[in-house]
Amino acid sequence: MTSATPSAAPPGPNGSLGTSGAHASAASPASSASRADRIGDAALDLLVERGMRGLTHRAVDERAGLPQGSTSNHARTRQALLETAVRRQVQLESQVLTPDELPGAAGPSGTVGTVGTARAAEGARGRPRDGARGRPRDGAPDGAPGRTPDGAPGTAPGGPSEPAPHALLDTDTLVDALSLALHRYLTDHRALLVSRYELALEATRRPELRAFFDAAGSVFHGPLVAMTAAAGSPEPERHALSLIAWCEGLMFSCAAGSFHAAVPSRAELRTGFEELLRGMLGGGTGPGRGESTGAAGDRGGRCRA
């Protein structure tokens, strides 16, 4: 869904995933979590440990420590249970970075706030088309962005003919946040990646889940488009897609693919993001980037960024 990492994830995707299971939120321990969260956490745990076949209403009751029938009362059908799992997945992934760690968060550095960054990006490209913001698609979870008339989620895409927006977001800030989120996914929240892959694969076989899964994951798309625009991208929609694709490929390789035994360091991830953004936005690495770039040397068998 990013995907995402980021363990917001995302990778909730921040620090420990909880004491009662792999996906329990650090902010909502089992003792105080709502019943819906407990059911969602238990469903994600079962997906990681047993796969889709192991996800049943009875198994969720047992894993969550709830009376038999509790999960059926909350989600009567299998589709409803899967939607509960997807909804909880998105909640956890949204916690990978805390609000003050997000690019553009207001702070001592004097950078603009996240909402301000998005609005400034919109202003640089022109007002979003009707339906681009604040109007969820039919069937979309609360908070999911609307779509533009051409079907693209999030804010209206930029284009080659449009002028590049003024860079309101420092590239170093964006690189730091992206590398931190991705590193957290690969270290603290690998289970969250596995449960996402299970849900994504099931969505390929269930059209009704596909629509819900895509709508839920789209909440991460719009902000990334806005951040790339604020960083100076002349084509933020296309560049955001490139960033997402690179992150998704790396996460799968290191969580479930041939590089699962080793995780790249944050310095290596930072180098990868620098190379991507430098190619997209132009210019050099900028002051202060030399150390992290130099740290990404060959380390035999490592999953390289």
Side-chain angles (χ1 to χ4, degrees):
M1 295 195 193
T2 356
S3 306
T5 205
S7 168
N14 212 357
S16 171
L17 286 173
T19 56
S20 64
H23 292 91
S25 169
S28 302
S31 59
S32 61
S34 69
R35 177 163 293 196
D37 287 350
R38 292 174 65 182
I39 290 173
D41 289 335
L44 295 178
D45 286 345
L46 290 168
L47 287 173
V48 172
E49 295 178 11
R50 307 178 190 177
M52 195 58 64
R53 291 184 178 181
L55 179 63
T56 66
H57 287 75
R58 179 181 293 274
V60 171
D61 284 337
E62 293 174 353
R63 174 55 61 91
L66 295 171
Q68 286 296 320
S70 297
T71 301
S72 293
N73 287 334
H74 175 77
R76 291 194 174 279
T77 65
R78 184 163 183 81
Q79 171 67 16
L81 179 57
L82 290 169
E83 290 181 3
T84 297
V86 171
R87 195 176 291 111
R88 185 59 173 155
Q89 178 87 24
V90 172
Q91 289 174 347
L92 293 176
E93 291 202 31
S94 69
Q95 299 169 25
V96 175
L97 294 183
T98 60
D100 61 325
E101 292 173 313
L102 290 170
S109 63
T111 53
V112 295
T114 305
V115 175
T117 300
R119 288 176 178 169
E122 289 171 6
R125 295 195 303 265
R127 294 184 62 81
R129 302 168 193 166
D130 182 35
R133 294 181 64 83
R135 186 184 302 172
R137 295 185 308 163
D138 291 341
D142 291 344
R147 287 180 174 261
T148 58
D150 60 7
T155 56
S161 61
E162 298 178 1
H166 178 67
L168 300 172
L169 180 62
D170 180 75
T171 306
D172 279 339
T173 302
L174 181 57
V175 167
D176 283 340
L178 292 174
S179 61
L180 176 60
L182 187 53
H183 191 254
R184 283 179 179 169
Y185 268 118
L186 296 176
T187 54
D188 297 333
H189 307 295
R190 295 177 73 153
L192 200 59
L193 294 175
V194 176
S195 59
R196 189 209 299 174
Y197 299 146
E198 289 285 347
L199 290 166
L201 287 172
E202 185 67 6
T204 66
R205 297 181 283 268
R206 289 175 173 264
E208 65 279 14
L209 181 61
R210 174 87 273 165
F212 189 87
F213 184 89
D214 290 348
S218 69
V219 301
F220 300 105
H221 180 94
L224 184 57
V225 172
M227 285 187 285
T228 54
S233 169
E235 299 181 71
E237 187 80 30
R238 184 172 65 82
H239 289 160
L241 174 61
S242 295
L243 285 171
I244 291 171
W246 185 80
C247 289
E248 290 285 6
L250 190 64
M251 287 190 293
F252 183 85
S253 294
C254 294
S258 56
F259 292 100
H260 66 89
V263 174
S265 68
R266 188 180 170 195
E268 291 171 320
L269 294 175
R270 196 182 195 287
T271 298
F273 279 117
E274 286 176 342
E275 291 169 345
L276 282 172
L277 289 171
R278 186 166 62 246
M280 294 174 184
L281 307 178
T285 59
R289 297 187 187 178
E291 291 184 7
S292 62
T293 302
D298 288 331
R299 301 179 185 182
R302 294 295 295 268
C303 177
R304 294 297 305 281

